Amino acid sequence: QRHTHAVYAVYGYYCVNGQSHDRFVMGLNEYASFCRECAIADETSRHCHQTHVDAVFVAADAEEQVDERKIRASGGGGKQAAAAQRKQNEQNVDRALMRFEWLQALVRIAVIKYAKEESTEQGGAEASGPTLAPALERLLTEAVLPKVPVEALHDSDVFRRQRLYTHEVAAVFARYDTSLKAVYETFSAAKFDARQTDTRARASLMELDEWTLLLQSAGLLDGLFTKRHASLCFVWAQPFTTDDLKRRTALVHLQYVDFLEALARIATFKRLPTKGQLAQHGCTSCASFFAQPKLVEAELLAAGPMSWQQEETSPVPLEEPLEMLLSLLVERLDSDGNGVLRAKELKRFVPS
């Protein structure tokens, strides 16, 4: 259990940085990236060549076949249990690892990389429960955790405890509540992902492509705050979902409170001017500051990318950069200039 968070975090990282399905499953390309970065294949091994590693993906991805007679014989309920299994198979994305299949894949990798090697050295005894536990421990502590990118081991609660959950931050969000709700509701209705069968959820919850569209529409993406960073803000703001089949809708969307957190996380990646810099250069707003490319280059971009690790635990209060970010977002989307966003003026950004 001590590696549970890391195992789920690694899976989420490779999924969202890939292109498979809705980017919440691990396709073969994402699996290959993980295996390559962690040096899983070992051509000197008898059991862990690249072909063996590829076979793990196929084996873990295989769906359980529905056999009513076997289900009935095992006391599983016959037709009703078979129907439930068929429904689960329909929700299980083909040619990709769901999260529960990822867990199986890790165990299978531990077997071919460590357990079988050890059993061969000990005379060929079959790998079993007592052998698998240390093999899986070795896989995680020697091959996976030291080699995956630091973002793959991210702990979302650090930022929440250190900077997000304060009365001052809540007050900033409250000042922009009307505009932010209009933004969330309008962009959540974009309905990019037709694969989502829950149409009511699709219309009321925000998916990853809708989040990206919002940031593009507000001009928040640039060379230092990229789509990759935006995707990390999205998944890091999500609460943990216990079942990636039965609760799929929750797994791939942001609720409104999650959306607010995702916005706040942008301030750990994107440099924003301070009130002092606005006053120094005679800017009336954050948007007017960003309207001057030379000023942005000299004051912000020249400093290079921010360290999200340092920003998440920074002692600097979050409310000032958050205020700058939200004011920039609102002003960039505000067509009538009254400082409050409404659904009517936002619909021009959303495909009909």
Side-chain angles (χ1 to χ4, degrees):
Q1 291 184 347
R2 61 183 174 277
H3 299 305
T4 300
H5 168 77
V7 167
Y8 289 144
V10 169
Y11 175 79
Y13 170 81
Y14 282 95
C15 290
V16 81
N17 281 288
Q19 294 297 326
S20 294
H21 193 62
D22 55 10
R23 294 169 67 188
F24 286 88
V25 296
M26 181 179 285
L28 184 57
N29 288 338
E30 294 79 48
Y31 174 77
S33 295
F34 162 76
C35 292
R36 182 174 57 254
E37 292 179 7
C38 295
I40 298 298
D42 181 357
E43 298 307 319
T44 67
S45 166
R46 294 176 57 185
H47 308 287
C48 199
H49 292 180
Q50 186 61 53
T51 53
H52 299 125
V53 175
D54 294 341
V56 165
F57 181 90
V58 176
D61 183 42
E63 295 178 1
E64 184 177 344
Q65 297 302 308
V66 179
D67 188 324
E68 287 188 27
R69 288 177 298 177
K70 288 185 178 180
I71 294 174
R72 192 180 299 111
S74 64
K79 290 185 178 181
Q80 185 176 0
Q85 183 61 53
R86 288 192 189 95
K87 183 177 181 180
Q88 180 169 302
N89 287 350
E90 290 174 0
Q91 295 171 325
N92 190 337
V93 179
D94 295 331
R95 294 180 294 279
L97 298 181
M98 308 295 283
R99 194 172 62 193
F100 69 93
E101 294 171 330
W102 157 250
L103 301 180
Q104 180 189 150
L106 288 177
V107 174
R108 288 179 178 274
I109 291 172
V111 169
I112 63 174
K113 191 170 179 65
Y114 298 111
K116 282 191 174 183
E117 288 298 317
E118 291 178 0
S119 67
T120 299
E121 293 171 1
Q122 296 169 7
E126 187 69 21
S128 60
T131 307
L132 288 179
L136 185 57
E137 179 74 16
R138 285 191 64 190
L139 174 67
L140 295 175
T141 58
E142 296 178 15
V144 177
L145 303 185
K147 296 177 182 177
V148 295
V150 65
E151 292 89 347
L153 301 175
H154 179 265
D155 183 352
S156 294
D157 285 336
V158 171
F159 173 71
R160 293 166 181 159
R161 289 193 300 264
Q162 297 287 332
R163 302 192 70 190
L164 182 63
Y165 293 162
T166 70
H167 292 294
E168 292 78 11
V169 167
V172 174
F173 279 129
R175 287 197 291 274
Y176 290 87
D177 185 63
T178 299
S179 293
L180 292 178
K181 282 183 176 175
V183 167
Y184 176 79
E185 291 168 2
T186 303
F187 282 86
S188 293
K191 301 183 182 65
F192 276 103
D193 192 354
R195 293 164 298 207
Q196 296 292 333
T197 57
D198 189 342
T199 54
R200 184 177 63 178
R202 287 173 52 208
S204 61
L205 300 173
M206 179 172 285
E207 62 190 46
L208 182 55
D209 286 339
E210 293 164 341
W211 164 252
T212 304
L213 174 64
L214 165 62
L215 301 185
Q216 289 173 328
S217 301
L220 295 180
L221 299 177
D222 54 36
L224 295 181
F225 180 62
T226 65
K227 283 187 178 181
R228 175 177 174 274
H229 298 138
S231 297
L232 292 177
C233 289
F234 185 98
V235 296
W236 290 352
Q238 292 181 296
F240 181 76
T241 303
T242 54
D243 191 319
D244 58 335
L245 285 180
K246 295 179 180 179
R247 303 191 67 232
R248 190 78 190 162
T249 297
L251 182 75
V252 303
H253 290 90
L254 294 179
Q255 297 188 52
Y256 181 64
V257 68
D258 311 325
F259 165 69
L260 298 182
E261 179 179 331
L263 287 173
R265 287 184 181 276
I266 294 175
T268 67
F269 285 101
K270 186 176 182 66
R271 292 193 184 278
L272 297 158
T274 63
K275 292 180 180 179
Q277 287 173 313
L278 295 189
Q280 178 184 351
H281 298 285
C283 299
T284 57
S285 67
C286 186
S288 65
F289 183 97
F290 274 98
Q292 304 178 57
K294 291 184 178 179
L295 188 56
V296 173
E297 174 66 34
E299 296 285 346
L300 303 181
L301 299 184
M306 297 174 69
S307 167
W308 62 264
Q309 298 100 311
Q310 294 179 10
E311 291 299 318
E312 286 199 343
T313 58
S314 171
V316 177
L318 181 63
E319 51 266 27
E320 182 174 326
L322 180 61
E323 180 88 42
M324 290 291 172
L325 175 69
L326 298 184
S327 69
L328 177 63
L329 174 74
V330 170
E331 191 165 344
R332 289 265 179 88
L333 300 177
D334 188 8
S335 60
D336 58 20
N338 68 350
V340 179
L341 299 176
R342 303 290 183 184
K344 184 177 181 180
E345 63 184 315
L346 293 171
K347 287 182 178 179
R348 72 186 192 276
F349 297 108
V350 178
S352 57

